[in-house]
């Protein structure tokens, strides 16, 4: 029997990711929703990440039948139920008290993996314990090298499978919605600064009740500087400016972390080759969901260049703009091993916690299965460019 949260996101109320987005928008205060939903500056890259999938149409094989259709793939040696991994999403605990723990649990229950952001409100040990699936830890070097090394050691002891190093964040992007909505003031300690934004918060009593019951503003439990304890959320933007990652940093990171290292945020072939030189096991083609440099290339458009530069020497993943299973299939046709999904599941988390994340995964997995069948393709491993036509030339 379904619980209340599961019923709220079941069909026919929720049939696609856009429906989950609508529920999230109604439940969250504007500042929290726009933090999740928004992008940098004019949000051109944010929109283009989604639109670019329309530049490709399918070339299906008709009148074919297979005894079964195989959605399973492997990423860094771990099998997952379909080619989508949950991406790191910062501040998840603001969206729902269960935050990273319930998202990881939903991923594991669905047979896929979860990536924990450094900017997270639940302890990484609890997140890893919540899932039987593969789990990766995404690293920002906030708080300095000693703090980062302490987090890496905790991730190792907890049993995380890989370390994701985000390379595209020398400074936080200009997310104008956050400034207009008072996100900084909301994260701060001053009640007076919050006053202009309280009306909107009070108009979302369900979220407010859950937020206060959870203890209010969480600390960043996975950024623990020696002698100071867990970092406050409001400190992150300033800390990022002092946490720039260079390719040379991958040398000491690989000395500390003996498992696979993934470089996330690559958009050009030259950077992909440099990442290979530094010994990464995988690359994520990503523009940070359009949240950093506006007018950067859409991830799907950058994907073929990176695939060609790597030439099979490491695994290629992609994130950005994925809202349907057909988007996942198109990315695989262009050379990705799998995709990372961020907003698609975060909308579900904000709407209904673990049930919402589970519903987002269920929708995308069913989409991939249906798309394969309609394409006349027996397995995601067989997807290639012959299944696509490019309708718009660059």
């Amino acid at each position: 029997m379904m619980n209340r949260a599961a019923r709220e996101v079941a069909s026919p109320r929720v049939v696609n990711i856009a429906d989950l987005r609508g529920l999230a928008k109604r439940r969250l205060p504007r500042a929290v929703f726009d933090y999740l939903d928004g992008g940098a500056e004019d949000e051109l890259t944010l929109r283009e990440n989604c639109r670019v999938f329309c530049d490709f149409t399918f070339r299906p094989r008709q009148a074919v039948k297979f005894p079964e259709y195989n959605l399973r793939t492997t990423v860094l040696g771990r099998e997952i139920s379909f080619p989508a991994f949950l991406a790191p999403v910062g501040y998840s605990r603001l969206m729902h008290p269960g935050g990273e723990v319930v998202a990881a649990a939903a991923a594991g229950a669905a047979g896929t993996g979860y990536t924990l952001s450094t900017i997270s409100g639940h302890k990484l040990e609890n997140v890893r314990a919540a899932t039987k699936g593969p789990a990766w830890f995404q690293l920002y070097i906030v708080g300095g090298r000693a703090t980062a090394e302490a987090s890496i050691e905790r991730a190792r002891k907890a049993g995380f499978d890989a370390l994701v190093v985000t390379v595209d964040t020398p400074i936080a992007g200009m997310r104008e919605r956050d400034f207009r909505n008072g996100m900084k003031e909301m994260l701060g300690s001053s009640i007076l600064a919050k006053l202009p934004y309280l009306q909107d918060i009070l108009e979302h009593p369900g979220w407010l009740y859950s937020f206060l019951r959870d203890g209010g503003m969480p600390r960043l439990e996975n950024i623990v500087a020696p002698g100071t304890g867990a970092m406050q959320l409001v400190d992150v933007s300033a800390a990022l400016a002092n946490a720039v990652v260079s390719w040379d940093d991958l040398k000491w990171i690989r000395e500390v972390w003996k498992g696979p290292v993934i470089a996330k945020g690559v958009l050009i072939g030259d950077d992909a080759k440099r990442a290979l030189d530094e010994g990464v096991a995988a690359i994520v083609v990503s523009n940070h969901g359009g949240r950093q440099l506006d007018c950067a290339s859409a991830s799907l458009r950058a994907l073929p260049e990176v695939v060609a530069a790597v030439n099979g020497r490491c695994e290629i993943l992609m994130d950005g703009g994925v809202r349907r299973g057909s988007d996942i299939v198109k990315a695989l046709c262009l050379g990705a091993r799998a995709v990372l999904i961020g907003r698609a599941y975060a909308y579900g988390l904000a709407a209904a916690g673990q049930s919402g994340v589970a519903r987002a995964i269920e929708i995308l997995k069913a989409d991939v299965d249906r798309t394969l069948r309609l394409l006349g393709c027996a397995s995601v491993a067989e997807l290639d460019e012959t299944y696509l036509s490019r309708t718009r030339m660059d």
Side-chain angles (χ1 to χ4, degrees), residues 5 8-9 13 19-33 36 92-99 200-212 214 346-353:
E8 287 179 349
V9 294
R13 188 178 188 190
D19 291 337
L20 288 174
R21 179 182 181 275
L23 291 178
K25 187 174 184 179
R26 287 193 286 275
R27 180 179 177 273
L28 296 178
R30 185 181 300 113
V32 180
F33 176 77
L36 162 60
S92 291
R93 197 166 179 172
L94 286 182
M95 301 165 199
H96 187 277
D200 184 62
I201 294 172
L202 294 172
E203 290 174 355
H204 296 83
W207 176 88
L208 180 59
Y209 172 77
S210 296
F211 175 74
L212 295 176
D214 191 41
Y347 293 138
L349 175 67

Side-chain angles (χ1 to χ4, degrees), residues 273-291:
K273 292 175 182 177
R274 183 61 193 270
L276 281 174
D277 290 342
E278 298 303 335
V280 302
I283 290 170
V284 182
V285 178
S286 171
N287 54 40
H288 215 109
R291 298 167 66 79

